[in-house]
Amino acid sequence: MYLETLQCSAKDRTVRVLLMGAGEYGLSFLAQSCRTPGLVVSAVYARREERGVAAFRHAGLPEDAIRICDGLAAAQAALAAGKVVVSNDALMLMQLPIDIVVESTGAPEAAAVHADAALRNGKHVAMVSKEPDSVVGPLFHRRAKAAGLVYTPVDGDQPSLLMQLVVWARVLGLEILCAGKTSEYDFVYDSATKRVTSLDRVADGAAVDALWEFGARDVRSVLQARAEALTAIPQHTVPDLVEMGLVANATGLAPDAPAFHAPIARTPEIADVLVPTEMGGILHGTGRVDVVNSLRRPDEASFAGGVFVVVRCEDRKSWEVLRAKGHVVSRSGDAAMIYRPSHLLGVESATTVLSAVLHGRSSGPDDIRPRFDVIGKTNKPLKAGTVFDATGHHHQIDGIDGLLVPARAAIGANPIPFYLMAGNRLLRDIPAGTVIAAEMVEPPKESLLWRLRREMEKTFGLS
């Protein structure tokens, strides 16, 4: 019913969007937006303007509909003439008559600047970039609310989808034992070749046949054996910690272990795995967040980076009926997994954008606080002067693993948030196994992200 109401609202008004970034997410969002009634991407920011032009072309716009503009007057004239605008001047674009800024650059400092400018210019913000969101998101959320604006995660990304699933379960009165997502790429086992692949990584899977079923064995021992057999494939990633950190800040759920358990598990096993130890699982409590490395055969459907909640089965009879209908219920009948086996990136983000502008609603919960930070721990010795460059598709920093821990002020011996250190220098030599403290990192001469972090720490009383 809510989506039907949203659809009806979209018939009466056009929502104008400024898209920041023309990467993987931007391309899918832009292409789908051209097919979404009531939604128009009026402008695209791209550091290299040709990428913005290419994004509009990918979405099917003809060449004569696209204008590259280097000034406000030219951009305003282009929009007035029914054209779309591309520019590498982000702050100029914020002054255009648009309703919402969709931030998807993934650059911590730049994305913070963009979100700050958007709110100051009276625009709603849909934050796709999780890097700045993990550092100062709660402050932006509070600022937007005070200004009568919306700062929201986006449908199509796992944090938003999982937040909604958690709220849904709580509305029903279900006790959440664990909430989580599957990591981005499955562990696919080919029994013919005895190999396990995960995107471009390959591991010897000779041991997997004997570890495919738990049988009568202890769950923890089988999971440990799988992890040891497949060490050639990374099982813990910073992006997973960042995404689940956003969920923890929005829901109050907490990590069971700072680096997550990240078990290698098959879909039917999750309700047996992510439950407390007294129920036969691996958790040391309830109300947790974690990640699963999804193990499957090539001919089995993928979890597709989807999200799930594991809930306690208090009404055993009802859940046995549901088990018979194909739902994932633990072998003991104590727990069940409820899941959404997909996240569609920009293809489904229009619901968030329309809801924010037309109904003033976020896709996430209302009580966003800095409960947890993703921090860094070295996995090799690092020398003074090392620059913490966040590189690659997942913006990871070489030599540093992530941990999700209770948030503290980024001062002195306290840990520094992962993406607050990004782009800055290490002040002294440190050995492997060192948690990087704020005092170990050279502060930048000028950084809005750092200033916003200080403001957030003061606003929320972090110490």
Side-chain angles (χ1 to χ4, degrees), residues 128-164:
V128 182
S129 300
K130 302 164 197 72
E131 295 82 359
D133 210 15
S134 69
V135 177
V136 295
L139 177 65
F140 280 139
H141 179 80
R142 179 167 288 198
R143 274 191 182 182
K145 191 174 180 181
L149 298 168
V150 175
Y151 177 86
T152 179
V154 292
D155 290 348
D157 248 352
Q158 292 127 315
S160 176
L161 299 175
L162 184 53
M163 290 172 197
Q164 292 172 47

Side-chain angles (χ1 to χ4, degrees), residues 290-301:
D290 216 301
V291 171
V292 169
N293 292 300
S294 182
L295 177 65
R296 66 175 176 88
R297 292 190 173 106
D299 60 350
E300 292 181 310

Side-chain angles (χ1 to χ4, degrees), residues 320-335:
E320 287 306 317
V321 170
L322 292 170
R323 186 203 297 272
K325 293 180 179 291
H327 290 273
V328 178
V329 179
S330 67
R331 293 174 297 176
S332 66
D334 291 335

Side-chain angles (χ1 to χ4, degrees), residues 26 41-42 51 56 69 80 138 161 188 198 204 209 222 224 232 250 337 348 367 369-370 372 414 425:
V41 176
S42 300
R51 291 194 67 187
F56 272 125
C69 300
L161 299 175
V188 183
S198 181
D204 182 353
D209 274 341
V222 176
Q224 180 63 30
M337 181 191 69
E348 61 179 314
D367 184 23
R369 301 183 192 180
F372 294 92
N414 289 351
R425 292 183 181 275

Side-chain angles (χ1 to χ4, degrees), residues 68-117:
I68 296 176
C69 300
D70 58 5
L72 181 60
Q76 290 172 328
L79 292 184
K83 310 300 182 182
V84 297
V85 171
V86 174
S87 178
N88 59 13
D89 187 339
L91 300 186
M92 177 273 287
L93 291 171
M94 298 291 173
Q95 301 175 63
L96 293 175
I98 53 99
D99 300 299
I100 186 167
V101 174
V102 176
E103 212 311 315
S104 68
T105 63
E109 181 71 29
V113 170
H114 299 160
D116 177 75

Side-chain angles (χ1 to χ4, degrees), residues 80-394:
K83 310 300 182 182
V84 297
V85 171
V86 174
S87 178
N88 59 13
D89 187 339
L91 300 186
M92 177 273 287
L93 291 171
M94 298 291 173
Q95 301 175 63
L96 293 175
I98 53 99
D99 300 299
I100 186 167
V101 174
V102 176
E103 212 311 315
S104 68
T105 63
E109 181 71 29
V113 170
H114 299 160
D116 177 75
L119 294 175
R120 291 184 185 280
N121 280 275
K123 319 297 186 186
H124 303 290
V125 176
M127 181 55 81
V128 182
S129 300
K130 302 164 197 72
E131 295 82 359
D133 210 15
S134 69
V135 177
V136 295
L139 177 65
F140 280 139
H141 179 80
R142 179 167 288 198
R143 274 191 182 182
K145 191 174 180 181
L149 298 168
V150 175
Y151 177 86
T152 179
V154 292
D155 290 348
D157 248 352
Q158 292 127 315
S160 176
L161 299 175
L162 184 53
M163 290 172 197
Q164 292 172 47
L165 188 57
V166 167
V167 170
W168 172 85
R170 285 173 168 170
V171 168
L172 293 179
L174 297 170
E175 181 188 353
I176 296 175
L177 304 175
C178 188
K181 50 162 270 190
T182 54
S183 201
E184 190 164 354
Y185 302 108
D186 295 347
F187 285 38
V188 183
Y189 173 56
D190 188 330
S191 58
T193 63
K194 305 299 181 188
R195 303 175 86 186
V196 175
T197 59
S198 181
L199 193 59
D200 58 349
R201 301 293 186 105
V202 180
D204 182 353
V208 173
D209 274 341
L211 299 171
W212 189 255
E213 301 278 356
F214 290 145
R217 294 172 292 187
D218 176 69
V219 165
R220 286 165 291 186
S221 66
V222 176
L223 294 175
Q224 180 63 30
R226 287 177 183 171
E228 292 172 356
L230 301 176
T231 54
I233 302 175
Q235 297 167 30
H236 299 262
T237 70
V238 169
D240 286 342
L241 289 163
V242 168
E243 293 195 329
M244 292 299 95
L246 299 183
V247 173
N249 283 340
T251 63
L253 299 173
D256 195 64
F260 289 167
H261 295 289
I264 300 172
R266 297 163 51 230
T267 297
E269 298 171 342
I270 294 175
D272 289 290
V273 171
L274 290 177
V275 296
T277 55
E278 62 266 25
M279 296 173 67
I282 63 175
L283 303 180
H284 296 94
T286 62
R288 303 301 202 233
V289 288
D290 216 301
V291 171
V292 169
N293 292 300
S294 182
L295 177 65
R296 66 175 176 88
R297 292 190 173 106
D299 60 350
E300 292 181 310
S302 171
F303 210 111
V307 298
F308 62 84
V309 290
V310 179
V311 301
R312 192 185 299 275
C313 295
E314 297 184 86
D315 178 1
R316 290 287 195 89
K317 185 174 182 179
S318 294
W319 284 105
E320 287 306 317
V321 170
L322 292 170
R323 186 203 297 272
K325 293 180 179 291
H327 290 273
V328 178
V329 179
S330 67
R331 293 174 297 176
S332 66
D334 291 335
M337 181 191 69
I338 304 164
Y339 66 115
R340 173 181 170 162
S342 68
H343 73 297
L344 302 179
L345 299 175
V347 172
E348 61 179 314
S349 296
T351 51
T352 290
V353 172
L354 293 172
S355 180
V357 177
L358 299 178
H359 292 175
R361 292 176 53 166
S362 168
S363 288
D366 191 54
D367 184 23
I368 311 294
R369 301 183 192 180
R371 297 176 169 99
F372 294 92
D373 278 327
V374 177
I375 63 169
K377 183 177 181 179
T378 57
N379 56 39
K380 66 181 181 180
L382 296 179
K383 293 289 187 181
T386 297
V387 178
F388 297 119
D389 286 326
T391 60
H393 177 67
H394 290 120

Side-chain angles (χ1 to χ4, degrees), residues 24-45:
E24 181 181 86
Y25 170 88
L27 286 174
S28 63
F29 175 77
L30 187 52
Q32 186 60 39
S33 70
C34 293
R35 300 170 178 82
T36 302
L39 188 64
V40 172
V41 176
S42 300
V44 168
Y45 161 80

